[in-house]
Amino acid sequence: MELIQVTNLANGRYLIANMKHDRPAIIRSELLNSFAVGSLGSSYNEKVYFDTPDFFFAEKGINIYTVTINGSAKELIIRYDSEQVKRIEFLKNMPNYFKLIIKKDETIHKYYNEITEAIYRVFPAGLNVNIEEYLKQCSPQIKVFKKRDSYRVVNNTGLKMVMSFDVCEYSQVSKKSKFSQPTLDIVCESVRNPDDFGIFLKTVIRDFPQLLKIESNELTVARNNL
């Protein structure tokens, strides 16, 4: 099974107070007057985060999860979480995101070798443990079910983004506890001037001060709230 290295794209995530009001207000706002906005439609996906009960891998900055999109296509992701555990300077240019295309009914248990390889590629110093033994202790810990409505947003300066309005339901597998959170996720697909995307994100907050920047990734949000 081929391990695919994926490029991390710059993004911004925001908590939305009122999805019914804020989504049309943003899409029709002056902020996007100079952009072409096209709907990408709706999708559903479910993320299942695998880890030991004490989150051994997450505590080391490694996220292991599957993503099922619209109930069919499924990917296994191994990602270094630089938001949670900062890399030391000379490792900052190391790859940090790998995926495998897997079958719908599969979990991580057939892919210990591939996961171990990915971990060594994102964490070349190793974890000073037998990684496979810890993988055998992994089970589903957190689920994130997401209903998403997405738009491609492009202007003539070369800035191309995808804006996704999500309703995320987080649940903890062992305790059956859950909570929901509506968010706006803005991902930069391409840009000529690297500063343009950062300026756009600042303008979003200026024009819509009711949006709250989310600094943590989904796994950290779930662990802090469940």
Side-chain angles (χ1 to χ4, degrees), residues 5 80 87 91-98 118 121-123:
Q5 183 175 332
Y80 188 88
R87 274 194 170 129
L91 293 178
K92 282 188 176 179
N93 292 324
M94 295 298 298
N96 61 356
Y97 190 167
F98 293 90
R121 290 171 72 176
V122 301
F123 205 101

Side-chain angles (χ1 to χ4, degrees), residues 119-132:
I119 289 173
Y120 274 107
R121 290 171 72 176
V122 301
F123 205 101
L127 300 179
N128 298 319
V129 298
N130 184 333
I131 293 174
E132 185 166 334

Side-chain angles (χ1 to χ4, degrees), residues 10-171:
N11 76 308
R13 292 177 61 235
Y14 304 89
L15 182 63
I16 294 181
N18 186 331
M19 180 69 80
K20 187 175 181 180
H21 173 270
D22 290 340
R23 183 175 72 176
I26 292 169
I27 292 300
R28 299 169 187 164
S29 68
E30 290 186 10
L31 171 69
L32 298 182
N33 275 351
S34 61
F35 290 82
V37 180
S39 174
L40 296 175
S42 299
S43 63
Y44 299 85
N45 69 57
E46 182 182 66
K47 289 184 181 179
V48 180
Y49 285 87
F50 291 81
D51 213 320
T52 63
D54 61 352
F55 289 95
F56 171 81
F57 288 103
E59 291 295 323
K60 301 293 188 293
I62 296 169
N63 294 168
I64 302 168
Y65 57 94
T66 58
V67 183
T68 305
I69 302 169
N70 289 334
S72 54
K74 190 171 184 179
E75 299 174 348
L76 168 60
I77 307 294
I78 304 94
R79 185 173 69 85
Y80 188 88
D81 179 12
S82 57
E83 294 176 1
Q84 182 165 331
V85 179
K86 299 297 183 184
R87 274 194 170 129
I88 56 179
E89 189 66 31
F90 72 88
L91 293 178
K92 282 188 176 179
N93 292 324
M94 295 298 298
N96 61 356
Y97 190 167
F98 293 90
K99 72 177 181 180
L100 292 164
I101 309 300
I102 65 176
K103 295 179 181 178
K104 183 180 176 180
D105 60 348
E106 292 179 330
T107 63
I108 71 170
H109 300 102
K110 286 181 60 176
Y111 300 103
Y112 290 157
N113 289 339
E114 289 85 353
I115 296 171
T116 298
E117 179 188 349
I119 289 173
Y120 274 107
R121 290 171 72 176
V122 301
F123 205 101
L127 300 179
N128 298 319
V129 298
N130 184 333
I131 293 174
E132 185 166 334
E133 288 302 314
Y134 278 83
L135 288 173
K136 289 178 181 178
Q137 299 174 42
C138 287
S139 60
Q141 300 295 334
I142 300 291
K143 290 186 178 182
V144 184
F145 181 78
K146 183 181 297 183
K147 179 183 181 299
R148 163 168 282 188
D149 293 298
S150 296
Y151 299 82
R152 175 159 283 112
V153 179
V154 184
N155 75 0
N156 58 11
T157 69
L159 178 57
K160 181 166 71 172
M161 303 171 288
V162 172
M163 299 180 68
S164 299
F165 295 86
D166 301 331
V167 177
C168 305
E169 182 179 88
Y170 297 82
S171 60

